[in-house]
Amino acid sequence: MLKDKTIVLGITGGIAAYKAVDLASKLTQAGVKVEVIMTEAATKFITPLTLRNITHRPVVTDMFEPASEWSVEHVALAEAANAVVIAPATANTIARLAGGIADNMLGTVVLATKAPVIIAPAMNDLMYANSVTQDNVAKLKARGFTFIEPEYGRLASGKMGKGRLPDTATIIQAIEQALGQKRDFEGKRIVVTAGGTREPIDPVRHIGNRSSGKMGYALAEAARDRGAKVTLVAANVALEEPAGMEIVKVKTAAEMKMAVAGAVKKADVLIMAAAPADYQPEAIAKAKIKKESGQNLTLNLVKTPDILSEVRGDFLRVGFAAESENLVANARKKLAEKKLDMIIANDITKADSGFDTDTNRVVIIDKKGKTEKLPLMSKREAADKILDRVRGMVGSRE
Ligand code: CTP
């Protein structure tokens, strides 16, 4: 996949700059045309000559350097790039990019390119954790930049912390992923629900369930990466908020129904990965219910709105069925009852699939009866498989 690609490798001024030499070497060996841009600070750590010898290409160190092949038409470099990779990226460069500052060649190319930009931060752990840096990272993520998380380990200061540049193989894997990224949901709007609702009993107690939101978040992130405009309706999820999408937070099934009904108005697809409660207490006690010795407590539960069944419109409806027995038969029944376009059946009896795991084992069943049983895979991989099938159905509705 890398062969014959042009990758702009931005190297900035941190101690990890020496590791960029190995990255440039491995990319060149893989058949990549590596165009190196070094910030001035980077040249204090390693020399342009090293990179020139490794890549067999001229190395750009300054926009106005007369000797550079690219110096006049810097935009040509932005256009030629299949990807721009910045490794290592300092806090300073990340801040400049977040601010759209283009006073050096790297900033100019990043501003002018349409290619995916992959940033591998490496710095002192406190600089990385600083909220200014984190805000800048979030801003760039929201604009579609891919970040490779720094690793925990020994830093240049001698201290242990999170700030190390990941190894070359990890960075190359991220580049391959960015290059292979499908953009087949460009122009499509998807609403994804995630998490489990909580139905209050009194001011301190609720009825909840074990849904972590991981499957829904994986779907929302995969759809975003494939170009969709995503609205994520999240109920009580403790995961890090994904960038680059609209997030609506809700607590109860009734709130989720309102949020979904609003969000689907312009949507092409609704994927209900959330676990809304099926029942809610008939009344919410205004004051905390006190225990009475020797007394049992009976709660009267009434049905919550069935969101999938009740929210209708001209969009594809995809449901989930969490089952502990008769997986496919029960899922088919739900598909028919709720008149869905597709249902994802999910075996919750195994330790490695279902609630709060990073992996899942799903069966995709569509309204025509086609049943596809997928092996154990990460929730992100399962999300992409589900979206592959959803994309086929959205297309057929056009
Ligand atoms: N769902 C919904 N609104 C509810 C409950 C569930 O939209 N109040 C959605 C879920 O998000 C999921 C699908 O419906 O996509 C699951 O169908 P459902 O029959 O409600 O599943 P369970 O609640 O698991 O049903 P049962 O307890 O009967 O197995």
Side-chain angles (χ1 to χ4, degrees), residues 51-63:
L51 274 315
R52 200 173 80 197
N53 281 313
I54 280 176
T55 62
H56 316 295
R57 302 283 309 150
V59 170
V60 183
T61 52
D62 187 271
M63 231 170 116

Side-chain angles (χ1 to χ4, degrees), residues 272-274 276-278 304-308 319-320 322-323 334 338:
M272 283 289 301
D278 290 327
T304 54
D306 188 316
I307 303 164
L308 254 185
F320 269 72
E323 304 293 344
K334 282 179 192 169
K338 299 196 183 198

Side-chain angles (χ1 to χ4, degrees), residues 150-209:
E151 289 176 351
Y152 181 88
R154 184 171 294 280
L155 303 173
S157 61
K159 248 186 13 165
M160 300 295 281
K162 186 177 173 187
R164 275 172 68 90
L165 189 72
D167 61 23
T168 301
T170 306
I171 298 174
I172 289 185
Q173 211 182 352
I175 299 171
E176 280 179 328
Q177 206 185 334
L179 287 174
Q181 184 62 59
K182 285 189 245 179
R183 300 284 299 174
D184 54 349
F185 276 86
E186 206 92 60
K188 300 277 173 251
R189 286 172 185 267
I190 298 196
V191 179
V192 181
T193 64
T197 66
R198 289 181 183 171
E199 310 304 327
I201 298 170
D202 68 10
V204 288
R205 304 179 179 93
H206 61 250
I207 300 174
N209 63 68

